[in-house]
Amino acid sequence: MRQTRQMIGRSPWVSRAGKGVAVVASTGAALVSIISALYSYGVLGKSEAHQSIGNYGAAWVRLRPTVDTAFAIGDSIHYAATVADKNGSILVGARPTWTTGDSTVASVGEDGAVVARGPGQTTVTVIVGTFVATSRLVVKQRVAGVVVSSSIGDTAINVLEGSELQLRARALDARGHGIVQAGAAWHIDDSSVAVLAPTGVLSARNAGRSVVSAKIDGKSGYLPVSVMTTATALNVVGGAAQRALAGRALPQPIVVRAVNRRGAPASGKTVTFRPAEGAGKTDPSTAVTDADGRARTSWTLADYPGRQWLSVQVENVDSAIAVVAEADPVAANTRVAAVSDDLRGRAGEAIDSIAVRVTDSTGRVLADVPVQWTALDGGVVEAFDARTDSVGIARARWTLSRKVGEQRARVQIGIGAAGRGIAPVTLQVHAAAGAPTDMLIANGDRQRTAAGATLKKAVVVRVIDANGNGVADVPLVLSLSSGSVPDSVLNTDSVGNASIRWTMGRSASIHTLAVHVDGIKKLLKVTATAAAGSPANLSFEDAPADKGTRSKAKRLYALVTDVYGNPVADAPVTFSSKSGTVVPTRAVSDAKGRVLLRWTPSSAAGEQTLNGIVRATDVEGSYVAQVGKPDTKPAASKPAASKAAASKAAASKPAASKAAASKPRGR
């Protein structure tokens, strides 16, 4: 039996027959599967429900629902598409394409699930092959709740009395998305605490608590509100404007008072006292206002002089007030020095900048220290700033008084108690005269002296500035009509005067002396009268004869002159003749130095002489006439000068020559 099996297993025919049976079986199974698939997809048979191969065989498509509404952003609506063949059989294997008309309103997935994205309406479209079906979708948010908050999103607020706050109401749909709505209807439970405007502006009135509500489409939201009493103003009521030595405590505490908007005390409020950087310290640094709204602290100043600031602030008030105290410099630790020791200026004019530097004993500059300036000898000192600058220097403009000479200005550092013992600094300047603006005759004008003589008084010319001060070292240029001066150019002395010694010319007349100074348009003129000198000569000359008369009397002029030939008026003259007669025998010379006389010689032949003498002098003159010889002419007059006059004339010749040589122009 075993052998029989082995033989059969080894037989080639049996093996090939088995393989053939297997192939036939496989082929039959495949045909059955193909026929079943064709039947299932509607190719064979008339089944009521077929599967499709893709969209093959689709004859129409329908979409459900045809219209729908979403009431919240994010809501999902599931659409169903029905695809059928030409026989109306449902094709369950179709693969439709889904789209929406406006993706900002809604979006759709591959399974027909539509999600609302924003308010509005759009279409939902399904496409199967060439067949299209549409549905309308409306997204209209419905108010499901209201959120009330401040403009910055606070949902519980605290406001101060008298302040205003803008509130906001937001409508939300069921999924918490905001809805663009018209304005809300506002309401507050207690209007004595605060009031609400239709726009949602909250105006806090009095301290207390209340609830604000806003209603939109029948839905309300709520916001708790607390109105707090607070300080609205802070004032210094004690300790302001104090001073102390640098590094010391102020003698009185700093007291401030907080009030609310109605002016009533704001009690229980925290006040902070904060000195500026490096401005000392306070004790305490914070304090709570008492029943009268007051808080106080003690302030110890820093050890540098100048102004120091304390900032004071009360809670709930953004602004702070400043308290200023003056730290006076300590005398033992303060040094004051003039920036420049060489000050120069003109009387009545300004020195643009004088300055002192203030330091401590280590050389550190002291800024913001008060400085006082005082002019001690007239004038005005105007400070550029009442305090030292950042490098410890204080500057001022010093307008000098109008007088020349030494002038002083005192500089005092610090204010309280005369600088708390700090020694003042005295600045000194020599005030020189200003530029020359005018000149005048101080002395010696309109003098009178004899021709050729030097004036008894020197002519003094004074050159002054705009303030009337004499200006030194000013060159004067002299110009003379007659006479002479030692020098035609000379300078004024230390007080602005120039002394001129003026010698008259030989002619008896009015002389002028002109003075010129560069920069002054005015030309100064000095006058002097050169009169005739003492009688020095007596001479005779014929006078015109009387018309129509044949008298033997001779008309003569007796002429009295000085040494330079200038006629001498009012000279008493006596006439005499040994023969004949003379009329008058005594006379006084007129303004031209002349005396008109008549001399009648005797009838005796020969020379006859008429003599004249100036009384009280030794000046004599004579006139000689020849009588008895008709063809003989009368002898000329022979004036006789006195010895003194001759000596004077001789002595005056060199002086006259010198005077003439010094004339700038001749007559």
Side-chain angles (χ1 to χ4, degrees):
M1 186 69 176
R2 183 181 297 172
Q3 292 177 352
T4 302
R5 292 178 179 173
Q6 290 176 350
M7 290 176 65
I8 293 173
R10 294 190 186 102
S11 173
W13 182 86
V14 174
S15 177
R16 284 193 294 271
K19 291 181 180 179
V21 174
V23 170
V24 171
S26 297
T27 302
L31 290 174
V32 172
S33 297
I34 291 171
I35 293 171
S36 297
L38 292 174
Y39 181 83
S40 298
Y41 289 100
V43 179
L44 299 176
K46 296 182 178 180
S47 174
E48 293 296 326
H50 298 290
Q51 293 180 355
S52 64
I53 302 174
N55 296 327
Y56 180 77
W60 53 266
V61 60
R62 291 178 181 174
L63 188 61
R64 301 270 184 191
T66 58
V67 177
D68 207 344
T69 301
F71 295 102
I73 304 299
D75 280 355
S76 295
I77 299 175
H78 291 275
Y79 280 82
T82 302
V83 183
D85 61 12
K86 61 185 179 179
N87 297 319
S89 298
I90 303 301
L91 300 180
V92 296
R95 295 181 179 177
T97 300
W98 297 87
T99 63
T100 59
D102 187 347
S103 61
T104 64
V105 176
S107 62
V108 62
E110 293 181 356
D111 59 351
V114 177
V115 179
R117 300 299 183 188
Q121 61 180 356
T122 187
T123 56
V124 178
T125 303
V126 62
I127 302 172
V128 178
T130 61
F131 301 100
V132 178
T134 62
S135 176
R136 186 165 62 91
L137 174 65
V138 177
V139 179
K140 183 179 181 181
Q141 291 174 281
R142 180 180 295 167
V143 178
V146 176
V147 175
V148 182
S149 65
S150 68
S151 58
I152 59 174
D154 295 329
T155 55
I157 59 173
N158 297 320
V159 293
L160 304 178
E161 285 180 326
S163 63
E164 292 185 346
L165 182 65
Q166 176 67 58
L167 300 182
R168 182 178 65 173
R170 290 181 63 230
L172 304 178
D173 60 19
R175 293 183 180 274
H177 294 281
I179 303 174
V180 178
Q181 294 288 133
W186 294 92
H187 174 74
I188 187 168
D189 291 349
D190 189 349
S191 59
S192 66
V193 174
V195 293
L196 271 170
T199 57
V201 176
L202 176 72
S203 299
R205 286 184 170 180
N206 300 296
R209 298 177 183 274
S210 188
V211 176
V212 172
S213 63
K215 181 180 288 187
I216 302 175
D217 287 349
K219 301 294 183 179
S220 296
Y222 302 92
L223 176 68
V225 175
S226 296
V227 177
M228 300 180 297
T229 298
T230 185
T232 58
L234 189 65
N235 302 306
V236 179
V237 295
Q242 294 187 76
R243 63 185 323 109
L245 288 174
R248 304 284 182 85
L250 294 177
Q252 298 176 3
I254 306 299
V255 183
V256 296
R257 186 170 187 262
V259 295
N260 61 19
R261 63 188 180 91
R262 295 185 299 274
S267 60
K269 304 303 176 185
T270 300
V271 176
T272 303
F273 301 95
R274 183 177 295 108
E277 184 178 357
K281 59 182 180 180
T282 58
D283 184 21
S285 59
T286 59
V288 177
T289 56
D290 58 18
D292 193 36
R294 296 173 184 258
R296 53 184 48 79
T297 189
S298 295
W299 185 9
T300 300
L301 303 177
D303 61 356
Y304 67 86
R307 290 171 295 186
Q308 299 187 24
W309 279 264
L310 174 66
S311 173
V312 187
Q313 190 171 15
V314 64
E315 62 176 301
N316 298 323
V317 177
D318 292 336
S319 60
I321 61 173
V323 180
V324 182
E326 185 75 46
D328 290 324
V330 179
N333 195 35
T334 304
R335 304 290 183 268
V336 185
V339 173
S340 175
D341 294 328
D342 185 19
L343 296 177
R344 299 178 181 273
R346 289 182 172 181
E349 298 183 4
I351 302 175
D352 287 334
S353 181
I354 58 175
V356 294
R357 177 179 284 107
V358 183
T359 62
D360 63 11
S361 57
T362 66
R364 181 185 65 171
V365 298
L366 298 181
D368 199 48
V369 176
V371 180
Q372 293 180 319
W373 303 81
T374 306
L376 300 179
D377 301 300
V380 178
V381 181
E382 299 172 296
F384 292 160
D385 197 326
R387 296 172 179 271
T388 56
D389 60 17
S390 59
V391 293
I393 293 179
R395 301 180 185 276
R397 178 186 177 90
W398 186 3
T399 302
L400 303 176
S401 68
R402 295 185 176 184
K403 65 179 182 179
V404 297
E406 300 299 324
Q407 296 190 32
R408 298 166 299 157
R410 183 176 62 208
V411 187
Q412 179 66 62
I413 305 302
I415 299 175
R420 302 274 183 145
I422 298 175
V425 171
T426 300
L427 304 180
Q428 190 166 341
V429 62
H430 179 79
T437 59
D438 197 6
M439 52 183 170
L440 50 87
I441 303 172
N443 195 13
D445 191 21
R446 297 183 181 182
Q447 295 185 69
R448 184 183 183 89
T449 190
T454 301
L455 295 177
K456 293 181 179 180
K457 297 179 181 178
V459 176
V460 179
V461 176
R462 181 174 176 81
V463 180
I464 60 175
D465 62 11
N467 299 313
N469 299 308
V471 184
D473 296 323
V474 177
L476 276 64
V477 179
L478 308 179
S479 178
L480 299 97
S481 66
S482 183
S484 63
V485 292
D487 193 347
S488 61
V489 178
L490 68 161
N491 290 357
T492 56
D493 59 17
S494 60
V495 294
N497 293 337
S499 182
I500 306 168
R501 301 301 299 184
W502 186 9
T503 300
M504 298 292 98
R506 294 182 177 184
S507 63
S509 62
I510 296 177
H511 294 9
T512 59
L513 170 65
V515 183
H516 171 74
V517 171
D518 286 343
I520 301 178
K521 294 182 179 180
K522 172 182 177 181
L523 186 65
L524 188 68
K525 287 188 177 181
V526 184
T527 62
T529 300
S534 301
N537 300 293
L538 177 61
S539 62
F540 294 87
E541 60 185 32
D542 293 332
D546 292 334
K547 292 182 180 181
T549 64
R550 294 184 178 181
S551 174
K552 294 182 179 180
K554 290 183 176 291
R555 287 169 54 88
L556 299 173
Y557 284 122
L559 179 62
V560 182
T561 60
D562 64 6
V563 69
Y564 300 115
N566 298 305
V568 180
D570 300 324
V573 184
T574 301
F575 302 102
S576 64
S577 178
K578 293 181 179 181
S579 59
T581 60
V582 60
V583 178
T585 59
R586 291 175 177 269
V588 175
S589 61
D590 62 12
K592 295 182 179 180
R594 298 185 302 180
V595 175
L596 179 62
L597 54 89
R598 292 176 182 274
W599 178 37
T600 305
S602 68
S603 59
E607 285 187 351
Q608 296 188 29
T609 303
L610 173 65
N611 296 312
I613 186 171
V614 180
R615 294 197 300 271
T617 70
D618 58 357
V619 177
E620 299 176 351
S622 62
Y623 184 88
V624 178
Q626 184 72 35
V627 179
K629 292 182 179 181
D631 57 343
T632 304
K633 295 182 179 180
S637 170
K638 296 180 180 179
S642 66
K643 294 180 179 179
S647 300
K648 182 177 180 181
S652 63
K653 285 184 179 179
S657 299
K658 182 178 180 181
S662 65
K663 289 182 181 180
R665 62 179 181 270
R667 291 184 60 189

